[in-house]
Amino acid sequence: GSKRRRSGASDGGAGGAQKKPPLTAEEIPELTRREWKKYEQEKARKILLTYGFGEWLKIQKQMLLEQKHFMHGVGDIRNLAFTFLLALKKTFESEKEEGAKKGEVKETNRIQHFINKKEEELAAEGAEDVSSLANEWPKIDKLGHSWLRKLRLLDGVRDAVLMFQGGEKTNKGQLDQLMETMADGSLPT
C-alpha cells in the first residue's frame, strides 16, 4: 500500500518551504512597538518576576525559548516592564493608606522608595509607558503588593551581586544595610 506523508514532511514541496524559522534575539529589532498578546504579556510578567528589572536580554531569550515566534525586542520588554511598574504603582498608592493603618509604615516607605527609584532609572533608560500596546494586568489588585516586594527583593540581590562583581572595595556597611533592607518584611510568594 502507499503510505501518506505527514504534512510538514521534508519532500521539497510548498508545505515546508514557506515556514520561516523563528527569529533569534539578535535578529529582532530593539524596538518593534508591536501590540502585546495577552499570553505574551502574562509570560513576560512571570519571567520579569524571575529575573527582575534590567535583565531585558535574559527575559527576551527566555521568552524566545518558550514561544517560538516571539517578536518583541529588548526595548519593547523594557517598556512593558515600565508599564507594569506604573500599574503596580497605581495599585500600591490606592492601598498605601491601608498599609499605614496596619502599622506597615516602614515596609510601605521602602516599597515607595523602590517604585520611585525604578521609575526614575527606567525613564532615564528611555522607557515609555506602552499601556496602549498592553492589556490589563490580571490579579494586580490582589497580588500587586507581593509582586512589588518580590521585584524589590530581586533588585536588592542584583545590587549585592553588582557590589561583589565591581571589584571595588565594597563598603561592608553598605552591604549590611542592603541585606537588612532585603530581610525586612515577609517573603513574597
Side-chain angles (χ1 to χ4, degrees):
S2 74
K3 289 185 180 174
R4 291 179 64 181
R5 286 190 181 179
R6 283 179 292 160
S7 69
S10 179
D11 62 358
Q18 290 176 334
K19 280 194 174 179
K20 282 192 249 170
L23 294 179
T24 64
E26 293 75 28
E27 294 170 314
I28 299 172
E30 184 178 334
L31 209 54
T32 67
R33 299 196 190 284
R34 289 171 169 268
E35 269 188 45
W36 286 84
K37 295 179 181 125
K38 280 184 182 178
Y39 69 89
E40 289 175 325
Q41 181 176 314
E42 185 61 12
K43 181 56 75 178
R45 180 194 61 78
K46 287 177 180 175
I47 296 172
L48 175 68
L49 288 169
T50 301
Y51 293 116
F53 289 107
E55 299 294 343
W56 316 129
L57 192 57
K58 276 186 188 172
I59 293 168
Q60 183 190 40
K61 286 186 175 180
Q62 188 63 40
M63 292 289 292
L64 283 165
L65 279 175
E66 295 184 28
Q67 298 181 356
K68 296 275 182 265
H69 295 286
F70 183 72
M71 296 289 291
H72 293 281
V74 289
D76 298 316
I77 293 166
R78 181 200 59 220
N79 289 344
L80 184 69
F82 184 64
T83 303
F84 181 51
L85 179 69
L86 296 177
L88 286 168
K89 177 183 180 180
K90 189 176 172 186
T91 303
F92 176 75
E93 286 176 350
S94 69
E95 295 172 356
K96 198 160 61 171
E97 288 125 34
E98 203 174 295
K101 285 178 197 166
K102 289 183 189 173
E104 299 168 357
V105 176
K106 202 173 178 183
E107 169 75 0
T108 300
N109 289 343
R110 284 197 173 118
I111 289 178
Q112 185 66 61
H113 174 74
F114 168 72
I115 291 170
N116 295 342
K117 181 182 109 173
K118 280 293 136 194
E119 186 177 3
E120 202 174 286
E121 284 174 12
L122 290 171
E125 278 182 35
E128 302 169 30
D129 181 352
V130 291
S131 298
S132 61
L133 301 175
N135 301 283
E136 294 294 313
W137 299 95
K139 301 179 189 165
I140 195 168
D141 51 333
K142 289 184 175 66
L143 298 173
H145 195 81
S146 68
W147 291 341
L148 274 168
R149 291 195 343 247
K150 184 167 187 185
L151 288 164
R152 184 174 144 291
L153 179 67
L154 287 167
D155 200 57
V157 169
R158 188 167 187 241
D159 286 350
V161 168
L162 291 173
M163 277 185 197
F164 282 119
Q165 287 178 341
E168 60 208 51
K169 288 262 184 197
T170 302
N171 177 344
K172 184 165 174 6
Q174 243 184 325
L175 193 56
D176 289 344
Q177 186 181 8
L178 177 63
M179 297 308 281
E180 183 183 306
T181 300
M182 286 168 40
D184 261 3
S186 58
L187 271 176
T189 53

